[in-house]
Amino acid sequence: MEKKNLDWENLTFSYQPIDKRYVAMYKDGAWQEGELSDDPNVVLNECAGVLQYAQQVFEGLKAYTTKDGHIVCFRPDLNARRMYDSAQRMEMPPYPKDKFVEAIKEVVQANAAWVPPYGTGATLYLRPYEFGYSSVIGVAPAKDYEFRIFGTPVGPYFKGGVKPITVRVSDFDRAAPRGTGHIKAGLNYAMSMHAIVTAHAEGFAENIYLDAATRTKVEETGGANILFVDQDGTLVVPKSDTILPSITRRSLVYVAEHYLNLKIDERPVYWQEVLDHKFVECGLCGTAAVISPIGRINDHGTIIDFPSGMEEIGPVMKKMRETLLGIQMGEVEAPEGWIMRIL
Ligand code: PLP
Ligand code: COI
């Protein structure tokens, strides 16, 4: 199979339509057989549930070319399960988990020429999503739904790749207690649009959100979970019911414990600990971001600089990043069941 002629090394995190996407419809109370489609457009009724009351959930995962030339995905079963949970919380019919994984395989196989070659640093980002398709005007779930998966070849999420970023503490909240912060629904990202636009305008790469109830605890950023390393070299992982259960974070915790012999401390992390310089490294983690080091946090003019600095990723985050990428690219042996070989 001949690869597409793209400038793989210089891809950014952006959308580019590729040959095939997967489409399945939910009608009359049941999921229909899905199929691949050439059409990147969705035509909707003006009163479709997704357009009126934002009934949408999504996922993000990647296809990688390994060192020995295979094409693989990383833990797609966890994306299938999380999307199932997200749909249930939104009163949407959940897409069957085994069919989700099969559909991922089909899309990647059909677009193998778009999966970036090994060694380029790029990957094929996959975006499964589901939305309310039929019309609703009184507040109620739609009757009919559409499930789709498209792919787009991507480079690093943040400009500069693994160069440390500067983030700020947001004045806005992302997720309410007992709200929807723990699921992956487009509405959570709509909540963060104003905060991200103003953050970018002020020169920050992302926002750190504090817990909405007390504004004393670290939650996550707009598109990733947060990790810290303390002075003893322990990986400190903020625990909260209102953040997304990141698959990257859960995998990194396993990698830190079983591959790197680090101590792990998963607990609520108080903002005051960050202000008190209790941590020597900080980073954000997610499918799109992998691990991006945070060099500096600006809390309304109070600057927290991490000892790892603004030039290089810190040593612990570096080891975690390299090990995880090594597992994903087939350079490091993966735990059982983490890698789904597609081609
Ligand atoms: N938190 C938020 C708000 C996200 O959008 C993402 C991205 O998916 C993550 C965390 C990281 O999750 P994952 O590692 O499963 O991609
Ligand atoms: C992902 O990492 O897959 C996400 O969905 C994050 C998004 C902000 C791009």
Side-chain angles (χ1 to χ4, degrees):
M1 163 264 313
E2 200 169 321
K3 292 284 178 189
K4 298 284 169 182
N5 184 21
L6 299 187
D7 183 6
W8 303 107
E9 274 89 0
N10 292 308
L11 292 177
T12 56
F13 195 85
S14 50
Y15 169 69
Q16 128 154 47
I18 62 172
D19 296 340
K20 302 282 180 190
R21 68 276 305 128
Y22 188 86
V23 184
M25 308 299 289
Y26 183 90
K27 277 198 192 111
D28 304 323
W31 284 105
Q32 320 280 301
E33 223 27 74
E35 60 183 17
L36 294 173
S37 160
D38 292 331
D39 189 356
N41 298 306
V42 178
V43 178
L44 289 172
N45 177 263
E46 60 192 353
C47 203
V50 64
L51 296 181
Q52 301 310 323
Y53 303 124
Q55 240 194 334
Q56 184 260 18
V57 296
F58 71 102
E59 273 303 324
L61 67 160
K62 287 172 168 173
Y64 307 81
T65 304
T66 61
K67 194 177 178 187
D68 54 3
H70 294 294
I71 294 179
V72 303
C73 274
F74 182 71
R75 310 189 79 180
D77 51 316
L78 297 191
N79 296 97
R81 197 190 307 165
R82 190 169 63 187
M83 187 149 155
Y84 195 97
D85 296 341
S86 298
Q88 286 192 314
R89 175 64 177 78
M90 296 285 285
E91 291 295 336
M92 300 166 66
Y95 197 68
K97 287 172 265 191
D98 51 342
K99 290 197 170 188
F100 177 108
V101 174
E102 281 309 308
I104 289 287
K105 266 191 206 157
E106 271 194 57
V107 171
V108 174
Q109 269 165 1
N111 294 293
W114 294 94
V115 181
Y118 173 76
T120 58
T123 51
L124 184 70
Y125 184 72
L126 299 162
R127 175 52 66 87
Y129 60 116
E130 181 188 337
F131 54 91
Y133 182 85
S134 52
S135 58
V136 276
I137 193 68
V139 176
K143 284 205 166 46
D144 301 333
Y145 293 83
E146 185 161 342
F147 169 82
R148 295 176 76 100
I149 304 173
F150 67 78
T152 183
V154 297
Y157 189 67
F158 294 105
K159 272 187 255 143
V162 283
K163 206 113 166 100
I165 55 173
T166 301
V167 303
R168 71 164 182 193
V169 176
S170 175
D171 280 333
F172 300 97
D173 295 324
R174 177 176 188 275
R178 297 171 290 279
T180 53
H182 61 299
I183 63 163
K184 206 161 167 64
L187 60 91
N188 291 327
Y189 300 78
M191 285 282 286
S192 72
M193 288 303 168
H194 182 60
I196 195 66
V197 168
T198 51
H200 285 164
E202 291 169 30
F204 301 108
E206 253 289 9
N207 287 291
I208 289 186
Y209 293 96
L210 302 181
D211 73 295
T214 68
R215 299 192 66 80
T216 59
K217 285 174 268 178
V218 178
E219 291 268 279
E220 60 176 330
T221 67
N225 282 180
I226 300 177
L227 302 169
F228 296 98
V229 178
D230 74 10
Q231 285 145 354
D232 302 327
T234 299
L235 181 67
V236 180
V237 185
K239 195 170 175 173
S240 161
D241 292 339
T242 45
I243 65 173
L244 193 76
S246 159
I247 293 163
T248 313
R249 183 246 298 165
R250 286 179 273 159
S251 305
L252 283 168
V253 164
Y254 185 91
V255 162
E257 191 176 352
H258 294 93
Y259 286 62
L260 305 175
N261 292 318
L262 297 180
K263 276 208 230 112
I264 317 288
D265 192 6
E266 289 195 72
R267 58 170 172 85
V269 173
Y270 286 86
W271 180 243
Q272 192 59 45
E273 299 176 68
V274 180
L275 289 172
D276 291 344
H277 300 277
K278 297 285 187 214
F279 302 115
V280 295
E281 289 184 49
C282 178
L284 46 81
C285 70
T287 297
V290 193
I291 295 189
S292 298
I294 293 176
R296 170 176 288 184
I297 304 177
N298 185 323
D299 177 9
H300 304 87
T302 300
I303 306 293
I304 300 110
D305 280 324
F306 290 93
S308 46
M310 290 305 293
E311 287 307 315
E312 296 284 335
I313 183 168
V316 178
M317 297 282 166
K318 183 167 194 246
K319 266 193 276 177
M320 288 200 298
R321 184 183 159 91
E322 283 174 358
T323 312
L324 182 67
L325 283 172
I327 288 171
Q328 291 166 335
M329 307 280 180
E331 298 155 353
V332 173
E333 191 170 341
E336 180 77 31
W338 278 23
I339 298 295
M340 179 175 77
R341 190 163 139 186
I342 295 177
L343 280 173

